[in-house]
């Protein structure tokens, strides 16, 4: 050691801190590069700022962060033309934890449970020390802008550091990482490129990586597009950015770009895709909107939007969080809660205004409607805002309709909004379930999305009108005049037939009764009372869960088939087999399977052969 080298001890807290950073964050250790690049970019911003009043600080025209791996020496060097540090600043910034936040950190450290420690690290600016996750020796040579002398700080991260005079031609900082045995990957320029693109793509300072032949390649795009004002951004730039963030190939359906100022400060640039992204709707459940803090990418797992808006892509960039925000903190911080609320409101506002243009809204609805519907049961608070955005097929109109439109078409005296849920959209239109409603001119919404079994019950009412499944047996249509079913009076034997059917079907039905809601069909199923509707009963059965109850078999006393069965009962013939076929027919009409498909097929084949 030459006599110009000074050795200094780290404070005890720094030692512990280093140990913690190195071990607690090990699984995410590539973030060391994010931290060092962020520091370099900050230093350049500060120099630019200082130059506003002091010409000596002016940044050189080609100012950039330069990242150079050296395989022979096994070093990784980060150089910047930033503000630099004096000897005292090196000692202060890298050798102590005098900064108030870090002192608080060291205090909390003693009390924290091991599992809480990573979250503590995240809450304080200790990014520089993350260099020791990949390096067993770090040297920092720095020259403060406006100063002549340069100094080198060096440490192995083990309790002490050294300071010695150095020479640096220009202001700025070089950080040399002597990589650990297992950190070879950071000698590969493609790996460095990947990490920079992932974490620092939108830093506005150019970040250049030196490749094998000594050629520099700029790794980041360097445009924080969302931070510009709308008038500065062209449609082409929006599209290019949209394609970049979401790996899309199409044009966005909606582009939302705004800046919130005041109590909460953030910029947001969000997109609703023009096409259904490959897996965003069905596969992924959580919002992948990216969180940035002062341009730096933090995470795409902050769930900045509720899952029922998970199709929205883009970036939210805030000033109100520290760069080192931890996962745990992301979950707890009120800043994010407020941002989430603001961003959700803004997206809903956009959808509400775009929904006024039926043709324009249609592609959005067809891509993402089923996802939006989830909001009805997942977000109690937003339910009434979401409901008018929903679109439906209906028994009365072509194309898509909405709840407000349905309500405007309701008949005098109609109290409920009726809907029918089944798996198959086409079968719905021809379902016998609708016969009675059609005959009386009452509109029914036709629902066939996977989520349709769930949300109507959660919404319960729209504009004070209850939502009612037509398969719920309590629907009473008798007060509405309609075309009277043709044919003679119901046969007198219907009561005996009902009793005989009940006996024959046993536990496969909860009840059998005559109905006046059928016109052309012989039978229909319904759910009894106020329990789950038919579709829900089916889902519960398929999931192997009880509790759904069994359907009610309703028979049309005027239908020739029912009439002849009535005659059979009157003449005391056995109707057990016929009863079973009747129930299976009713199930098939609703798009369900017969109870025993093979036996059912055999019976039908036998009947055909006999005919
Ligand atoms: P934070 O960035 O949150 O302050 P760090 O541990 O990352 O915490 O850095 C500590 C301090 O060291 C910074 O605040 C800055 O003053 C100084 N520093 C780090 N890297 C550089 C650099 N490349 N140029 C100038 N100063 C730097
Ligand atoms: Mg930092």
């Amino acid at each position: 050691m030459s006599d110009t080298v000074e050795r200094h001890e780290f404070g005890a807290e720094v030692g512990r801190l280093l140990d913690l950073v190195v071990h607690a964050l090990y699984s995410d250790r590539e973030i060391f590069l994010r931290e060092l690049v962020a520091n370099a970019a900050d230093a350049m911003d500060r120099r630019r700022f200082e130059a506003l009043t002091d010409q000596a600080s002016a940044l050189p025209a080609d100012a950039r962060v330069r990242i150079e791996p050296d395989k022979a020496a096994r070093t990784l060097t980060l150089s910047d033309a930033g503000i630099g540090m004096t000897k005292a600043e090196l000692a202060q910034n890298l050798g102590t934890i005098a900064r108030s936040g870090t002192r608080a950190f060291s205090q909390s450290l003693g009390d924290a449970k091991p599992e809480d420690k990573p979250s503590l690290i995240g809450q304080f600016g200790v990014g520089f020390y993350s260099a020791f996750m990949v390096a067993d020796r770090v040297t920092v040579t720095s020259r403060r802008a406006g100063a002549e002398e340069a100094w080198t700080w060096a440490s192995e991260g083990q309790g002490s550091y050294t300071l010695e005079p150095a020479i640096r031609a220009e202001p700025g900082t070089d950080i040399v990482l002597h990589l650990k045995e297992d950190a070879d990957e950071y000698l590969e320029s493609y790996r460095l490129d990947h990490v920079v693109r992932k974490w620092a793509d939108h830093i506005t300072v150019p970040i250049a990586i030196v490749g094998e032949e000594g050629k520099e390649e700029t790794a980041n795009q360097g445009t924080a597009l969302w931070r510009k004002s709308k008038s500065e951004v062209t449609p082409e730039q929006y599209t290019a950015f949209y394609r970049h963030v979401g790996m899309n190939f199409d044009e966005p359906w909606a582009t939302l770009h705004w800046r919130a100022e005041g109590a909460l400060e953030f910029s947001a640039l969000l997109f609703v895709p023009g096409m259904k992204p490959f897996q965003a709707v069905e596969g992924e459940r959580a919002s992948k909107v990216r969180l940035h803090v002062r341009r730096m990418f933090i995470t795409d797992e902050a769930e900045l939007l509720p899952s029922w808006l998970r199709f929205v892509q883009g970036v939210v960039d805030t000033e109100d969080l520290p760069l080192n925000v931890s996962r745990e903190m992301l979950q707890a911080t009120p800043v994010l809660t407020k941002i989430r609320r603001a961003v959700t409101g803004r997206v809903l506002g956009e959808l509400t205004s775009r929904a006024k243009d039926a043709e324009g809204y249609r592609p959005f609805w067809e891509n993402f409607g089923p996802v939006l519907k989830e909001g009805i049961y997942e977000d109690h608070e937003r339910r009434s805002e979401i409901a008018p955005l929903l679109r439906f097929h209906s028994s009365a109109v072509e194309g898509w309709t909405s709840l407000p439109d349905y309500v405007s078409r309701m008949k005098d005296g109609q109290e409920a909004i009726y809907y029918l849920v089944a798996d198959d959209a086409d079968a719905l239109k021809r379902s016998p379930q609708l016969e009675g409603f059609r005959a009386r001119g009452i509109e029914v919404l036709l629902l066939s999305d996977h989520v349709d079994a769930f949300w109507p019950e959660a919404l319960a009412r729209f504009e004070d009108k209850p939502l009612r499944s037509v398969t719920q047996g309590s629907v009473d249509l008798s007060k509405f005049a309609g075309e009277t079913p043709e044919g003679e009076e119901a046969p007198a034997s219907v009561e005996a037939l009902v009793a005989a059917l009940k006996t024959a079907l046993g536990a496969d039905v909860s009840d059998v009764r005559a109905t006046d809601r059928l016109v052309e069909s012989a039978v229909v199923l319904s759910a009894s009372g106020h329990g789950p509707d038919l579709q829900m009963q089916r889902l519960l059965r398929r999931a192997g869960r009880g509790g759904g109850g069994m359907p009610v078999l309703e028979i049309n006393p005027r239908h020739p088939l029912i009439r002849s069965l009535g005659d059979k009962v009157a003449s005391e013939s056995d109707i057990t087999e016929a009863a079973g076929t009747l129930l299976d027919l009713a199930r098939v009409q609703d798009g369900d399977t017969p109870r025993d498909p093979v036996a059912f097929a055999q019976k039908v084949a036998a009947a055909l052969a006999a005919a």
Side-chain angles (χ1 to χ4, degrees), residues 539-574:
L539 291 181
L540 288 168
R541 263 203 305 277
R542 280 176 212 164
R545 301 249 294 276
M550 296 310 273
V552 175
L553 180 68
E554 297 189 23
I555 59 173
N556 177 0
R558 293 171 192 85
H559 196 278
L561 176 57
I562 299 302
R563 238 188 266 275
S564 85
L565 268 181
D567 294 344
K568 277 202 178 138
V569 170
S571 63
E572 287 181 26
S573 338
D574 179 29

Side-chain angles (χ1 to χ4, degrees), residues 166-330:
I167 294 173
R168 199 181 193 279
E170 298 290 334
T173 303
D174 303 304
I175 299 179
V176 181
L177 310 181
H178 298 263
L179 293 175
K180 291 183 178 174
E181 290 285 322
D182 64 352
D184 273 354
E185 59 190 301
Y186 302 109
L187 291 169
E188 303 294 341
S189 47
Y190 73 88
R191 178 79 177 102
L192 297 166
D193 191 75
H194 174 82
V195 178
V196 169
R197 274 176 209 277
K198 177 167 169 195
W199 295 104
D201 202 29
H202 298 288
I203 287 206
T204 47
V205 174
I207 303 166
I209 294 169
V210 184
E212 300 276 332
E213 297 87 30
K215 249 184 68 200
E216 284 184 25
E217 298 271 0
T218 304
N220 60 330
Q221 283 209 333
T223 44
L225 202 65
W226 59 88
R227 291 216 156 203
K228 297 186 172 178
S229 71
K230 271 173 136 167
S231 59
E232 291 175 294
V233 186
T234 64
E236 293 72 32
Q237 285 177 311
Y238 278 131
T239 300
F241 182 67
Y242 161 70
R243 292 181 180 172
H244 170 77
V245 282
M247 288 187 273
N248 303 298
F249 304 97
D250 58 335
E251 298 283 328
W253 178 78
T255 303
L256 290 83
H257 185 191
W258 79 101
R259 174 156 184 80
E261 259 149 9
L264 203 60
E265 287 198 19
F266 64 88
S267 306
L269 176 52
L270 302 176
F271 302 97
V272 176
M275 294 187 322
K276 202 159 154 170
F278 191 53
Q279 71 123 349
V281 176
E282 253 70 62
E284 190 60 57
R285 288 283 310 158
S287 167
K288 285 292 184 190
V289 167
R290 296 157 60 103
L291 175 68
H292 288 240
V293 172
R294 273 163 267 134
R295 293 195 297 266
M296 278 300 258
F297 173 61
I298 301 297
T299 176
D300 61 2
E301 290 174 7
E303 304 198 13
L304 288 169
L305 281 169
S307 70
W308 49 273
L309 288 175
R310 61 184 175 271
F311 48 81
V312 176
Q313 302 176 344
V315 171
V316 171
D317 185 352
T318 180
E319 307 279 326
D320 297 333
L321 288 170
L323 193 59
N324 265 338
V325 65
S326 69
R327 205 174 286 259
E328 290 80 1
M329 186 185 176
L330 285 176

Side-chain angles (χ1 to χ4, degrees), residues 34-36 38-40 42 99 125-128 323-324:
R34 172 186 78 172
E35 295 298 330
L36 298 184
N39 285 347
D42 279 353
R99 289 178 303 137
V126 293
F128 172 76
L323 193 59
N324 265 338

